[in-house]
Amino acid sequence: MGIFTGMFKSRDKPENRTAGSAYTFYMGGTTSGKAVTERSAMQMTAVYSCVRILAEAVAGLPLHLYKYNDDGGKEKAIDHPLYRLLHDEPNPEMSSFVFRETLMTHLLLWGNAYAQVIRNGKNEVVALYPLMPNKMSVDRDENGHLYYTYYRGPDEAIKNMEFAVTLQPSDVLHIPGLGFDGLVGYSPIAMAKNAIGMAIACEEYGAKFFANGATPGGVLEHPSTIKDPQRVRESWQAAFGGSSNSNKVAVLEEGMKYTPISISPEQAQFLETRKFQINEIARIFRVPPHMVGDLEKSSFSNIEQQSLEFVKYTLDPWVIRWEQSIQRALLSHDEKVRYFVKFNLEGLLRGDYQSRMNGYAIGRQNGWMSANDIRELENLDRIPTEEGGDLYLINGNMLPLKDAGAFANTTDNDGKEENPDEEVLEVEEPGTDGNDAEGEDTISERNNRRRKLV
């Protein structure tokens, strides 16, 4: 055990920086001069829209706990205590939608999502409560085992050990985002804080531009000395400052001249810069631009495909993180063999009504979908089994190989026909009619020769 203990001790605790780098992945200052935090980033409409789209999408997906049957199939484990927690109500204070929406928001802003796991005396999970990621730290003890420290203080910026609570890994549902050590994730906001900081700066510039008037700042020139320049400046600002005074005609006296010293927003490509930053933020979260309101490169022919790609390449990786983290933290070792958690993405992958009906018709006609299978996908009531709701049908021209063509009349090894239910052709004995003449075959002989040919 000494060798393994030394190996675990040598493993570094999770850090928020790469090895040998002074650049940390915390929120903070940017090259644009604007401080970027999870809350200041959410004031950007593009960030707010991306976070809301992903959080609501994951929260709105049906989440079920399944168990394997003895015949290799699966069914919903409705009788398991965890089913109700995941599907309906993880705790008495919030619904499953709100719980998953909250944790997904944490995951997108901080890169980690935590929930406290409450268990009863039987070690069964009875409740799940979200925990703030910025109040949680992950560390290792002297034996290399992970433990979580949560700070309950009122000020989230100050981590006072007086309010610290130590939690074991079995007491925490931890969903990590993308990281470098596989233990903690790094915030997408912090990793792209320069791009978001530039977007904040552009937005602030636009706001100040309209607050100071449609024309940027300039210089009032007077041929002689002005006795009270402050009064002249305030008079000019009162008459022409602000968006409500834009495009007013200025009348200058005593030889005064106004000279603008800034270029126009069009020349500075201000609008193009703001638009590019919106696409940049959408790229961070891998959200299609049309979902945040940019329809420039979207059309009727490709917008459906973009929506399907959003489910496949954006939602699916997040959903897998959720599923595997839930199974790892909330299921016991024995339960992991029989139970599994699954989000249902079928509703988002469905096409329009006509496409769905055509697909159902193909499945029904080829025998791998019953009427009840189709009705369950369309959220319709089941047809009773005695009325044929669970029958699997095929087209009449599709038969098993043993019943097709010449194979239908072959015999097995015992000399019995493979199709005993078929009508047997009765033949008359030779000599009972005029067909038993010499040189002619009886019906029985012709039937026997046909079987031999096969």
Side-chain angles (χ1 to χ4, degrees):
M1 289 299 295
I3 234 173
F4 292 102
T5 303
M7 179 177 65
F8 281 121
K9 284 184 177 179
S10 65
R11 294 174 64 180
D12 294 333
K13 67 178 183 179
E15 296 287 347
N16 207 15
R17 68 172 71 226
T18 56
S21 173
Y23 182 84
T24 61
F25 305 124
Y26 291 115
M27 313 287 183
T30 64
T31 54
S32 64
K34 300 300 177 184
V36 175
T37 64
E38 68 284 343
R39 287 178 171 81
S40 65
M42 283 287 281
Q43 294 178 357
M44 290 294 303
T45 57
V47 175
Y48 181 85
S49 178
C50 290
V51 171
R52 183 177 178 182
I53 288 170
L54 291 173
E56 292 180 347
V58 172
L61 292 174
L63 176 59
H64 300 287
L65 178 69
Y66 293 92
K67 64 179 179 181
Y68 294 105
N69 294 329
D70 296 335
D71 58 357
K74 66 180 187 298
E75 64 178 348
K76 296 177 183 178
I78 302 178
D79 54 343
H80 197 284
L82 193 58
Y83 183 90
R84 182 187 62 83
L85 294 179
L86 297 176
H87 185 267
D88 300 320
E89 188 177 280
N91 60 70
E93 300 174 357
M94 59 185 65
S95 64
S96 177
F97 182 94
V98 174
F99 174 79
R100 285 183 278 158
E101 182 184 42
T102 302
L103 260 63
M104 190 63 192
T105 302
H106 293 172
L107 193 54
L108 294 169
L109 294 178
W110 282 279
N112 294 276
Y114 303 95
Q116 184 181 5
V117 181
I118 308 297
R119 301 177 185 270
N120 59 13
K122 299 179 181 179
N123 202 31
E124 296 174 342
V125 181
V126 295
L128 298 168
Y129 288 91
L131 300 175
M132 289 298 296
N134 53 349
K135 294 185 179 182
M136 181 75 77
S137 65
V138 186
D139 209 335
R140 294 186 183 275
D141 59 17
E142 58 182 7
N143 295 320
H145 299 149
L146 285 175
Y147 68 91
Y148 296 82
T149 304
Y150 189 70
Y151 302 90
R152 299 182 302 169
D155 190 350
E156 62 186 35
I158 300 176
K159 294 184 176 180
N160 192 342
M161 292 303 298
E162 180 182 355
F163 303 100
V165 178
T166 301
L167 299 172
Q168 297 302 317
S170 59
D171 299 327
V172 178
L173 168 61
H174 180 198
I175 308 173
L178 178 65
F180 297 149
D181 55 9
L183 299 176
V184 294
Y186 300 132
S187 167
I189 302 296
M191 296 291 284
K193 59 184 179 181
N194 285 330
I196 297 175
M198 184 175 179
I200 294 175
C202 289
E203 187 176 72
E204 184 176 331
Y205 171 80
K208 289 184 176 180
F209 169 75
F210 286 104
N212 294 327
T215 304
V219 177
L220 279 174
E221 299 182 18
H222 195 278
S224 60
T225 304
I226 300 178
K227 296 181 181 181
D228 192 356
Q230 182 67 23
R231 183 183 61 82
V232 175
R233 184 186 302 109
E234 292 177 355
S235 176
W236 178 271
Q237 184 66 22
F240 304 105
S243 58
S244 59
N245 296 324
S246 60
N247 296 324
K248 279 189 176 181
V249 178
V251 179
L252 303 179
E253 300 179 292
E254 300 179 0
M256 294 182 66
K257 183 175 64 173
Y258 176 78
T259 304
I261 61 173
S262 301
I263 60 177
S264 64
E266 291 77 14
Q267 293 172 333
Q269 294 185 340
F270 169 68
L271 296 178
E272 286 78 2
T273 302
R274 287 210 63 191
K275 188 174 182 180
F276 175 79
Q277 290 308 118
I278 291 176
N279 289 333
E280 187 87 341
I281 292 172
R283 191 179 300 120
I284 296 171
F285 294 98
R286 203 186 294 174
V287 173
H290 77 270
M291 299 189 74
V292 294
D294 184 6
L295 301 176
E296 181 180 1
K297 296 183 179 180
S298 299
S299 62
F300 178 79
S301 59
N302 67 5
I303 198 167
E304 182 178 357
Q305 184 63 33
Q306 291 182 28
S307 299
L308 294 177
E309 291 179 354
F310 168 74
V311 176
K312 183 176 180 180
Y313 298 113
T314 304
L315 273 187
D316 204 36
W318 288 115
V319 165
I320 294 174
R321 290 181 188 273
W322 273 81
E323 293 172 348
Q324 296 186 357
S325 298
I326 291 175
Q327 292 176 201
R328 181 186 60 82
L330 303 184
L331 294 177
S332 65
H333 179 73
D334 295 334
E335 288 177 333
K336 292 176 182 177
V337 181
R338 293 190 56 200
Y339 297 92
F340 67 96
V341 176
K342 192 71 176 177
F343 283 86
N344 187 1
L345 293 170
E346 295 299 327
L348 298 179
L349 294 174
R350 294 191 305 175
D352 56 85
Y353 185 81
Q354 182 178 359
S355 300
R356 298 201 310 274
M357 294 304 108
N358 290 336
Y360 293 151
I362 295 174
R364 179 72 164 150
Q365 293 170 7
N366 288 277
W368 51 270
M369 291 188 78
S370 67
N372 283 336
D373 293 337
I374 299 172
R375 293 180 69 85
E376 286 183 1
L377 293 175
E378 289 295 317
N379 198 25
L380 299 174
D381 293 337
R382 293 174 57 88
I383 299 175
T385 303
E386 56 272 13
E387 296 182 13
D390 293 320
L391 287 178
Y392 293 90
L393 309 175
I394 61 171
N395 285 324
N397 58 347
M398 299 179 64
L399 299 172
L401 182 61
K402 64 184 183 64
D403 296 334
F407 288 93
N409 295 321
T410 57
T411 58
D412 56 14
N413 296 331
D414 297 332
K416 298 179 181 179
E417 292 188 0
E418 293 185 356
N419 298 300
D421 294 336
E422 290 184 357
E423 182 179 358
V424 179
L425 179 64
E426 295 184 359
V427 299
E428 298 180 358
E429 294 294 333
T432 57
D433 57 10
N435 294 330
D436 57 346
E438 185 177 357
E440 293 187 18
D441 294 336
T442 65
I443 296 177
S444 177
E445 291 174 344
R446 288 198 299 270
N447 288 341
N448 290 334
R449 184 161 54 251
R450 184 177 61 180
R451 294 192 183 95
K452 292 178 181 179
L453 288 176
V454 174

